[in-house]
Amino acid sequence: MKDYFIGEEEFFPGIGKIGYEGPKSDNPLAFKFYDPQKKVGGKTMAEHLRFSIAYWHSFCAKGSDPFGNETMVFPWSDPDPMIAARKKADAAFEFTTKLGAEYYCFHDIDAAPDASSVTEYERNYFAVAEMLKSLQNETGVKLLWNTSNMFSHPRYMNGAASNPEFSILARAAAQVKASLDVNVLLGGQNYVFWGGREGYMSLLNTRMKQEQDHIARFFMLARDYGRKIGFTGPFLIEPKPMEPSKHQYDYDAATAIGFLRNYGLDKDFKCNIENNHATLAGHTFAHDLQVCADAGMLGSVDANEGDAQNGWDTDEFPTNVYDSVEAMMVILKMGGFTTGGLNFDAKLRRNSTDREDLFIAHIGGMDTFALALEIADRIISDGKLDTMVANRYRSYESGKGAEFEAGKLTLADLRDIAASQPEPALVSGKQEMIKNLINQYIFG
Ligand code: XUL
Ligand code: CO
């Protein structure tokens, strides 16, 4: 057992390394479908899925909600904030190693104690970063991304880079600068911006264009600084339509991509797509992934799911195989992740209070994506679905359709083609047949 915990204290006693036992296993602390070394289409499951653990939900948030107090007792809490940070890091690496996830993600103030003085904040953060570095070296766990929390502190109530008050924008910049320094120290694969308060509560007191210009300038400065200090990975925008703001500027993937292109940031920035953010925007998870993949801008994924009956961000662990299959089809077709991965931006329900629940929740999420990976791979390599889709677009492969695609026809040419032909025949979209086919792949 000692192999799998790092610090002085074991925080998940009685739980060892989680192994693969197969679909017949009735051990809740074993993988039923995620077999890290199993090859799917030339790569191992671990190489495809690149699972990551979110520091904030797993080791910081204790289950309070607007109506109730904390329900979770964390043995890595401590009245001394630096000791608490040390214990939390030990707990995080013990958990991640026992689970067999290869990556983790954090906000600056998840990992290190916050401070209102910038110097003290930096001192805390860099000291914790050294601890994280030695834990990474000991365990082989890697940093998928870090980010700066520019939404919890009261100073950010009117936004960070979009704040009407310049001194707050500058304060936010100090956090991004420090997080980039830490990212480079820890060999981070990506850097994330989630703009929870980069939006507005009322348009009546807001200059939308000026705020968006400021965000773009802020991103340019972050990019220039990052490149200067040797950060080579992509910066990732995480779209979300609302919550906590009434309206957020990175509403959805299409909006974020339009913004990045508008300001010439699309070479250095991509998107980090979260399922529950896409559904809040009125899309499916697969929709926002496809929008990014089509733009060559799908960087990474925050894996979770919402509740179909709720209009808010419930950040549940993913168990929906249908949604995950569709997501994995998009990811596989774009050639898989490069720097990105599947980060569980998901939290336990506040009444899931046993220590083992964190393992069980992640095991479920990893098994769901492992299943989805295998099913998506079968759907793609079998080719039936692709053939049905290709048939829908066949009329553009030759003749006048191909000439249209090649830009050889005018509007008047199209009119003449239409005039010379009978009323076009109706062509079925075959949606029901396709859904039945997907069920065959999932359950057949
Ligand atoms: C909020 C959210 C964040 C980002 C990182 O909805 O998803 O946790 O992933 O700031
Ligand atoms: Co997220």
Short mmCIF file of all heavy atoms in Angstrom, two decimals, residues 375-428:
data_model
loop_
_atom_site.label_atom_id
_atom_site.label_comp_id
_atom_site.label_asym_id
_atom_site.label_seq_id
_atom_site.Cartn_x
_atom_site.Cartn_y
_atom_site.Cartn_z
N ILE A 375 -16.76 1.63 -28.42
CA ILE A 375 -17.94 1.62 -29.29
C ILE A 375 -17.73 2.59 -30.46
O ILE A 375 -17.99 2.27 -31.62
CB ILE A 375 -19.21 1.98 -28.48
CG1 ILE A 375 -19.49 0.88 -27.44
CG2 ILE A 375 -20.41 2.17 -29.40
CD1 ILE A 375 -20.44 1.30 -26.33
N ALA A 376 -17.21 3.78 -30.15
CA ALA A 376 -16.98 4.78 -31.22
C ALA A 376 -15.97 4.23 -32.23
O ALA A 376 -16.14 4.41 -33.44
CB ALA A 376 -16.47 6.08 -30.61
N ASP A 377 -14.96 3.56 -31.75
CA ASP A 377 -13.96 2.99 -32.66
C ASP A 377 -14.60 1.95 -33.58
O ASP A 377 -14.31 1.90 -34.77
CB ASP A 377 -12.81 2.37 -31.84
CG ASP A 377 -11.77 1.71 -32.72
OD1 ASP A 377 -11.08 2.45 -33.44
OD2 ASP A 377 -11.67 0.47 -32.72
N ARG A 378 -15.51 1.13 -33.01
CA ARG A 378 -16.18 0.12 -33.84
C ARG A 378 -17.07 0.78 -34.89
O ARG A 378 -17.11 0.38 -36.04
CB ARG A 378 -17.02 -0.82 -32.96
CG ARG A 378 -16.28 -2.10 -32.63
CD ARG A 378 -17.21 -3.14 -32.04
NE ARG A 378 -17.56 -2.81 -30.67
CZ ARG A 378 -18.79 -2.78 -30.17
NH1 ARG A 378 -19.83 -3.05 -30.92
NH2 ARG A 378 -19.00 -2.47 -28.90
N ILE A 379 -17.80 1.82 -34.45
CA ILE A 379 -18.70 2.50 -35.40
C ILE A 379 -17.89 3.08 -36.56
O ILE A 379 -18.26 2.95 -37.73
CB ILE A 379 -19.49 3.63 -34.68
CG1 ILE A 379 -20.43 3.03 -33.63
CG2 ILE A 379 -20.26 4.48 -35.69
CD1 ILE A 379 -21.15 4.04 -32.76
N ILE A 380 -16.75 3.69 -36.22
CA ILE A 380 -15.95 4.34 -37.26
C ILE A 380 -15.29 3.29 -38.15
O ILE A 380 -15.34 3.37 -39.38
CB ILE A 380 -14.90 5.29 -36.63
CG1 ILE A 380 -15.60 6.46 -35.94
CG2 ILE A 380 -13.92 5.80 -37.69
CD1 ILE A 380 -14.69 7.31 -35.06
N SER A 381 -14.69 2.26 -37.54
CA SER A 381 -13.95 1.32 -38.39
C SER A 381 -14.89 0.44 -39.20
O SER A 381 -14.54 0.03 -40.31
CB SER A 381 -12.92 0.51 -37.59
OG SER A 381 -13.56 -0.07 -36.50
N ASP A 382 -16.08 0.20 -38.72
CA ASP A 382 -17.06 -0.57 -39.48
C ASP A 382 -17.50 0.18 -40.74
O ASP A 382 -17.75 -0.42 -41.77
CB ASP A 382 -18.26 -0.85 -38.57
CG ASP A 382 -19.01 -2.07 -38.99
OD1 ASP A 382 -18.37 -3.00 -39.52
OD2 ASP A 382 -20.24 -2.09 -38.83
N GLY A 383 -17.60 1.49 -40.63
CA GLY A 383 -17.86 2.32 -41.82
C GLY A 383 -19.31 2.44 -42.26
O GLY A 383 -19.62 3.23 -43.14
N LYS A 384 -20.25 1.65 -41.62
CA LYS A 384 -21.65 1.70 -42.08
C LYS A 384 -22.24 3.10 -41.94
O LYS A 384 -22.90 3.60 -42.84
CB LYS A 384 -22.49 0.73 -41.25
CG LYS A 384 -22.53 -0.67 -41.78
CD LYS A 384 -23.72 -1.43 -41.20
CE LYS A 384 -23.48 -2.92 -41.28
NZ LYS A 384 -23.28 -3.61 -40.01
N LEU A 385 -22.01 3.69 -40.78
CA LEU A 385 -22.59 5.01 -40.54
C LEU A 385 -21.97 6.03 -41.50
O LEU A 385 -22.68 6.85 -42.10
CB LEU A 385 -22.35 5.43 -39.07
CG LEU A 385 -22.85 6.82 -38.70
CD1 LEU A 385 -24.36 6.95 -38.90
CD2 LEU A 385 -22.50 7.15 -37.25
N ASP A 386 -20.66 5.96 -41.66
CA ASP A 386 -20.00 6.90 -42.57
C ASP A 386 -20.53 6.76 -43.99
O ASP A 386 -20.70 7.76 -44.69
CB ASP A 386 -18.47 6.66 -42.58
CG ASP A 386 -17.79 7.43 -41.46
OD1 ASP A 386 -18.41 8.37 -40.92
OD2 ASP A 386 -16.64 7.08 -41.11
N THR A 387 -20.81 5.53 -44.40
CA THR A 387 -21.34 5.33 -45.75
C THR A 387 -22.72 5.97 -45.88
O THR A 387 -23.02 6.62 -46.88
CB THR A 387 -21.43 3.81 -46.06
OG1 THR A 387 -20.15 3.25 -45.83
CG2 THR A 387 -21.86 3.54 -47.48
N MET A 388 -23.55 5.79 -44.84
CA MET A 388 -24.89 6.40 -44.90
C MET A 388 -24.79 7.92 -44.99
O MET A 388 -25.52 8.56 -45.74
CB MET A 388 -25.71 6.01 -43.66
CG MET A 388 -26.11 4.55 -43.65
SD MET A 388 -26.99 4.09 -42.14
CE MET A 388 -28.64 4.66 -42.53
N VAL A 389 -23.84 8.49 -44.22
CA VAL A 389 -23.69 9.95 -44.24
C VAL A 389 -23.12 10.39 -45.59
O VAL A 389 -23.60 11.36 -46.20
CB VAL A 389 -22.80 10.43 -43.06
CG1 VAL A 389 -22.56 11.93 -43.14
CG2 VAL A 389 -23.45 10.07 -41.72
N ALA A 390 -22.15 9.64 -46.09
CA ALA A 390 -21.54 10.00 -47.39
C ALA A 390 -22.60 9.98 -48.49
O ALA A 390 -22.61 10.84 -49.37
CB ALA A 390 -20.40 9.04 -47.71
N ASN A 391 -23.52 9.00 -48.40
CA ASN A 391 -24.58 8.92 -49.42
C ASN A 391 -25.45 10.16 -49.45
O ASN A 391 -25.94 10.56 -50.50
CB ASN A 391 -25.46 7.69 -49.17
CG ASN A 391 -24.79 6.43 -49.70
OD1 ASN A 391 -23.92 6.50 -50.57
ND2 ASN A 391 -25.18 5.28 -49.16
N ARG A 392 -25.64 10.78 -48.29
CA ARG A 392 -26.48 11.98 -48.23
C ARG A 392 -25.86 13.13 -49.05
O ARG A 392 -26.57 14.01 -49.51
CB ARG A 392 -26.65 12.46 -46.79
CG ARG A 392 -27.39 11.50 -45.89
CD ARG A 392 -27.78 12.17 -44.58
NE ARG A 392 -28.89 13.10 -44.77
CZ ARG A 392 -29.13 14.16 -44.00
NH1 ARG A 392 -28.32 14.46 -43.01
NH2 ARG A 392 -30.17 14.93 -44.25
N TYR A 393 -24.55 13.11 -49.17
CA TYR A 393 -23.86 14.23 -49.83
C TYR A 393 -23.32 13.85 -51.20
O TYR A 393 -22.57 14.61 -51.80
CB TYR A 393 -22.72 14.75 -48.92
CG TYR A 393 -23.26 15.31 -47.62
CD1 TYR A 393 -23.46 14.50 -46.52
CD2 TYR A 393 -23.63 16.65 -47.54
CE1 TYR A 393 -24.01 14.99 -45.34
CE2 TYR A 393 -24.17 17.17 -46.36
CZ TYR A 393 -24.35 16.33 -45.27
OH TYR A 393 -24.90 16.84 -44.12
N ARG A 394 -23.71 12.66 -51.70
CA ARG A 394 -23.14 12.12 -52.94
C ARG A 394 -23.30 13.06 -54.13
O ARG A 394 -22.45 13.12 -55.02
CB ARG A 394 -23.83 10.77 -53.21
CG ARG A 394 -23.23 10.01 -54.36
CD ARG A 394 -22.71 8.63 -54.02
NE ARG A 394 -21.71 8.53 -52.99
CZ ARG A 394 -21.49 7.46 -52.25
NH1 ARG A 394 -22.24 6.40 -52.40
NH2 ARG A 394 -20.54 7.45 -51.35
N SER A 395 -24.39 13.84 -54.16
CA SER A 395 -24.67 14.69 -55.33
C SER A 395 -23.62 15.80 -55.52
O SER A 395 -23.61 16.47 -56.54
CB SER A 395 -26.06 15.30 -55.22
OG SER A 395 -26.14 16.07 -54.04
N TYR A 396 -22.75 15.97 -54.50
CA TYR A 396 -21.68 16.98 -54.65
C TYR A 396 -20.37 16.37 -55.11
O TYR A 396 -19.38 17.06 -55.24
CB TYR A 396 -21.45 17.71 -53.32
CG TYR A 396 -22.62 18.59 -52.91
CD1 TYR A 396 -23.60 18.09 -52.07
CD2 TYR A 396 -22.73 19.89 -53.41
CE1 TYR A 396 -24.68 18.86 -51.72
CE2 TYR A 396 -23.82 20.68 -53.05
CZ TYR A 396 -24.80 20.15 -52.21
OH TYR A 396 -25.86 20.92 -51.86
N GLU A 397 -20.39 15.04 -55.34
CA GLU A 397 -19.11 14.38 -55.66
C GLU A 397 -18.75 14.47 -57.13
O GLU A 397 -17.58 14.32 -57.50
CB GLU A 397 -19.16 12.90 -55.24
CG GLU A 397 -18.93 12.72 -53.76
CD GLU A 397 -19.06 11.29 -53.29
OE1 GLU A 397 -19.10 10.35 -54.12
OE2 GLU A 397 -19.17 11.12 -52.05
N SER A 398 -19.74 14.69 -57.98
CA SER A 398 -19.46 14.75 -59.42
C SER A 398 -20.44 15.72 -60.08
O SER A 398 -21.35 16.24 -59.41
CB SER A 398 -19.60 13.35 -60.03
OG SER A 398 -20.91 12.89 -59.79
N GLY A 399 -20.29 15.91 -61.35
CA GLY A 399 -21.23 16.72 -62.12
C GLY A 399 -21.33 18.14 -61.60
O GLY A 399 -20.37 18.72 -61.11
N LYS A 400 -22.56 18.67 -61.68
CA LYS A 400 -22.78 20.08 -61.32
C LYS A 400 -22.53 20.34 -59.84
O LYS A 400 -22.10 21.43 -59.46
CB LYS A 400 -24.20 20.52 -61.71
CG LYS A 400 -24.44 20.52 -63.22
CD LYS A 400 -23.60 21.59 -63.91
CE LYS A 400 -23.73 21.54 -65.42
NZ LYS A 400 -22.69 22.31 -66.11
N GLY A 401 -22.86 19.34 -59.00
CA GLY A 401 -22.62 19.50 -57.55
C GLY A 401 -21.15 19.75 -57.26
O GLY A 401 -20.79 20.63 -56.47
N ALA A 402 -20.28 18.99 -57.92
CA ALA A 402 -18.83 19.16 -57.72
C ALA A 402 -18.39 20.51 -58.28
O ALA A 402 -17.54 21.19 -57.68
CB ALA A 402 -18.06 18.02 -58.39
N GLU A 403 -18.99 20.91 -59.41
CA GLU A 403 -18.63 22.23 -59.98
C GLU A 403 -19.01 23.35 -59.02
O GLU A 403 -18.28 24.33 -58.85
CB GLU A 403 -19.34 22.45 -61.33
CG GLU A 403 -18.72 21.66 -62.48
CD GLU A 403 -19.46 21.89 -63.79
OE1 GLU A 403 -19.93 23.02 -64.04
OE2 GLU A 403 -19.58 20.92 -64.56
N PHE A 404 -20.20 23.20 -58.38
CA PHE A 404 -20.63 24.20 -57.38
C PHE A 404 -19.60 24.30 -56.25
O PHE A 404 -19.17 25.39 -55.87
CB PHE A 404 -22.01 23.82 -56.83
CG PHE A 404 -22.34 24.54 -55.54
CD1 PHE A 404 -22.76 25.86 -55.55
CD2 PHE A 404 -22.18 23.89 -54.31
CE1 PHE A 404 -23.02 26.54 -54.36
CE2 PHE A 404 -22.45 24.56 -53.12
CZ PHE A 404 -22.87 25.88 -53.14
N GLU A 405 -19.19 23.14 -55.73
CA GLU A 405 -18.22 23.15 -54.61
C GLU A 405 -16.90 23.77 -55.03
O GLU A 405 -16.23 24.41 -54.22
CB GLU A 405 -17.98 21.72 -54.08
CG GLU A 405 -19.07 21.25 -53.14
CD GLU A 405 -18.62 20.09 -52.24
OE1 GLU A 405 -17.54 19.53 -52.44
OE2 GLU A 405 -19.40 19.77 -51.31
N ALA A 406 -16.55 23.59 -56.29
CA ALA A 406 -15.27 24.13 -56.77
C ALA A 406 -15.38 25.62 -57.12
O ALA A 406 -14.41 26.22 -57.61
CB ALA A 406 -14.79 23.32 -57.96
N GLY A 407 -16.56 26.19 -56.91
CA GLY A 407 -16.73 27.63 -57.16
C GLY A 407 -16.87 27.97 -58.63
O GLY A 407 -16.63 29.11 -59.04
N LYS A 408 -17.31 26.98 -59.43
CA LYS A 408 -17.36 27.22 -60.88
C LYS A 408 -18.74 27.67 -61.37
O LYS A 408 -18.91 27.92 -62.57
CB LYS A 408 -16.96 25.94 -61.63
CG LYS A 408 -15.48 25.60 -61.47
CD LYS A 408 -15.11 24.38 -62.28
CE LYS A 408 -13.66 24.01 -62.04
NZ LYS A 408 -13.43 22.56 -62.21
N LEU A 409 -19.72 27.70 -60.48
CA LEU A 409 -21.08 28.05 -60.93
C LEU A 409 -21.52 29.39 -60.34
O LEU A 409 -21.15 29.73 -59.22
CB LEU A 409 -22.07 26.96 -60.50
CG LEU A 409 -21.83 25.54 -61.03
CD1 LEU A 409 -22.93 24.61 -60.54
CD2 LEU A 409 -21.77 25.52 -62.56
N THR A 410 -22.33 30.12 -61.10
CA THR A 410 -22.92 31.38 -60.61
C THR A 410 -24.33 31.11 -60.10
O THR A 410 -24.90 30.02 -60.34
CB THR A 410 -23.01 32.41 -61.75
OG1 THR A 410 -23.92 31.90 -62.73
CG2 THR A 410 -21.63 32.67 -62.37
N LEU A 411 -24.92 32.12 -59.50
CA LEU A 411 -26.32 31.99 -59.04
C LEU A 411 -27.22 31.75 -60.26
O LEU A 411 -28.16 30.95 -60.20
CB LEU A 411 -26.73 33.23 -58.27
CG LEU A 411 -28.04 33.10 -57.51
CD1 LEU A 411 -27.93 32.10 -56.36
CD2 LEU A 411 -28.52 34.45 -56.98
N ALA A 412 -26.92 32.43 -61.37
CA ALA A 412 -27.73 32.26 -62.59
C ALA A 412 -27.58 30.84 -63.14
O ALA A 412 -28.56 30.25 -63.61
CB ALA A 412 -27.31 33.30 -63.63
N ASP A 413 -26.36 30.28 -63.05
CA ASP A 413 -26.17 28.87 -63.48
C ASP A 413 -27.07 27.95 -62.66
O ASP A 413 -27.70 27.03 -63.21
CB ASP A 413 -24.71 28.42 -63.27
CG ASP A 413 -23.72 29.13 -64.19
OD1 ASP A 413 -24.15 29.58 -65.27
OD2 ASP A 413 -22.53 29.23 -63.81
N LEU A 414 -27.11 28.20 -61.35
CA LEU A 414 -27.95 27.35 -60.48
C LEU A 414 -29.41 27.46 -60.89
O LEU A 414 -30.14 26.47 -60.92
CB LEU A 414 -27.77 27.74 -59.00
CG LEU A 414 -26.38 27.54 -58.38
CD1 LEU A 414 -26.38 27.98 -56.92
CD2 LEU A 414 -25.93 26.08 -58.46
N ARG A 415 -29.82 28.68 -61.22
CA ARG A 415 -31.21 28.91 -61.67
C ARG A 415 -31.50 28.08 -62.92
O ARG A 415 -32.52 27.42 -63.03
CB ARG A 415 -31.40 30.40 -61.93
CG ARG A 415 -32.77 30.81 -62.38
CD ARG A 415 -32.85 30.98 -63.91
NE ARG A 415 -34.24 30.91 -64.37
CZ ARG A 415 -34.60 30.40 -65.53
NH1 ARG A 415 -33.71 29.87 -66.36
NH2 ARG A 415 -35.88 30.38 -65.88
N ASP A 416 -30.55 28.07 -63.86
CA ASP A 416 -30.77 27.35 -65.11
C ASP A 416 -30.84 25.84 -64.88
O ASP A 416 -31.65 25.14 -65.49
CB ASP A 416 -29.66 27.69 -66.13
CG ASP A 416 -29.76 29.15 -66.58
OD1 ASP A 416 -30.81 29.78 -66.35
OD2 ASP A 416 -28.76 29.66 -67.14
N ILE A 417 -30.02 25.37 -63.95
CA ILE A 417 -30.06 23.93 -63.61
C ILE A 417 -31.43 23.59 -63.02
O ILE A 417 -32.07 22.61 -63.41
CB ILE A 417 -28.93 23.58 -62.61
CG1 ILE A 417 -27.57 23.70 -63.31
CG2 ILE A 417 -29.10 22.18 -62.04
CD1 ILE A 417 -26.37 23.75 -62.36
N ALA A 418 -31.89 24.45 -62.11
CA ALA A 418 -33.19 24.22 -61.48
C ALA A 418 -34.31 24.23 -62.51
O ALA A 418 -35.24 23.41 -62.47
CB ALA A 418 -33.44 25.28 -60.40
N ALA A 419 -34.23 25.16 -63.48
CA ALA A 419 -35.29 25.30 -64.48
C ALA A 419 -35.34 24.10 -65.41
O ALA A 419 -36.40 23.75 -65.93
CB ALA A 419 -35.07 26.59 -65.28
N SER A 420 -34.18 23.45 -65.59
CA SER A 420 -34.14 22.34 -66.56
C SER A 420 -34.45 20.99 -65.93
O SER A 420 -34.38 19.97 -66.60
CB SER A 420 -32.75 22.29 -67.22
OG SER A 420 -31.81 21.89 -66.24
N GLN A 421 -34.74 20.96 -64.64
CA GLN A 421 -34.97 19.67 -63.98
C GLN A 421 -36.38 19.60 -63.41
O GLN A 421 -36.99 20.63 -63.12
CB GLN A 421 -33.92 19.45 -62.88
CG GLN A 421 -34.11 20.36 -61.68
CD GLN A 421 -32.96 20.34 -60.67
OE1 GLN A 421 -31.89 19.79 -60.89
NE2 GLN A 421 -33.19 20.97 -59.54
N PRO A 422 -36.91 18.38 -63.23
CA PRO A 422 -38.23 18.28 -62.56
C PRO A 422 -38.10 18.58 -61.07
O PRO A 422 -36.99 18.74 -60.57
CB PRO A 422 -38.61 16.81 -62.78
CG PRO A 422 -37.30 16.09 -63.01
CD PRO A 422 -36.35 17.09 -63.61
N GLU A 423 -39.21 18.69 -60.38
CA GLU A 423 -39.21 18.87 -58.92
C GLU A 423 -38.32 17.78 -58.29
O GLU A 423 -38.51 16.59 -58.55
CB GLU A 423 -40.64 18.74 -58.39
CG GLU A 423 -40.80 18.74 -56.88
CD GLU A 423 -40.39 20.06 -56.23
OE1 GLU A 423 -40.51 21.13 -56.87
OE2 GLU A 423 -39.90 20.01 -55.08
N PRO A 424 -37.29 18.19 -57.49
CA PRO A 424 -36.37 17.17 -56.93
C PRO A 424 -37.12 16.15 -56.05
O PRO A 424 -38.05 16.52 -55.34
CB PRO A 424 -35.40 17.99 -56.07
CG PRO A 424 -35.48 19.38 -56.59
CD PRO A 424 -36.89 19.56 -57.10
N ALA A 425 -36.64 14.90 -56.12
CA ALA A 425 -37.27 13.84 -55.31
C ALA A 425 -36.93 14.04 -53.83
O ALA A 425 -35.90 14.63 -53.50
CB ALA A 425 -36.72 12.48 -55.77
N LEU A 426 -37.82 13.60 -52.95
CA LEU A 426 -37.54 13.68 -51.51
C LEU A 426 -36.53 12.61 -51.13
O LEU A 426 -36.66 11.46 -51.55
CB LEU A 426 -38.82 13.49 -50.71
CG LEU A 426 -39.92 14.51 -50.96
CD1 LEU A 426 -41.13 14.21 -50.06
CD2 LEU A 426 -39.43 15.94 -50.69
N VAL A 427 -35.53 12.99 -50.33
CA VAL A 427 -34.51 12.02 -49.91
C VAL A 427 -34.57 11.90 -48.39
O VAL A 427 -34.40 12.90 -47.68
CB VAL A 427 -33.09 12.47 -50.34
CG1 VAL A 427 -32.06 11.42 -49.93
CG2 VAL A 427 -33.03 12.74 -51.83
N SER A 428 -34.79 10.70 -47.89
CA SER A 428 -34.92 10.50 -46.43
C SER A 428 -33.59 10.75 -45.72
O SER A 428 -32.53 10.36 -46.22
CB SER A 428 -35.38 9.07 -46.16
OG SER A 428 -35.26 8.81 -44.76
#
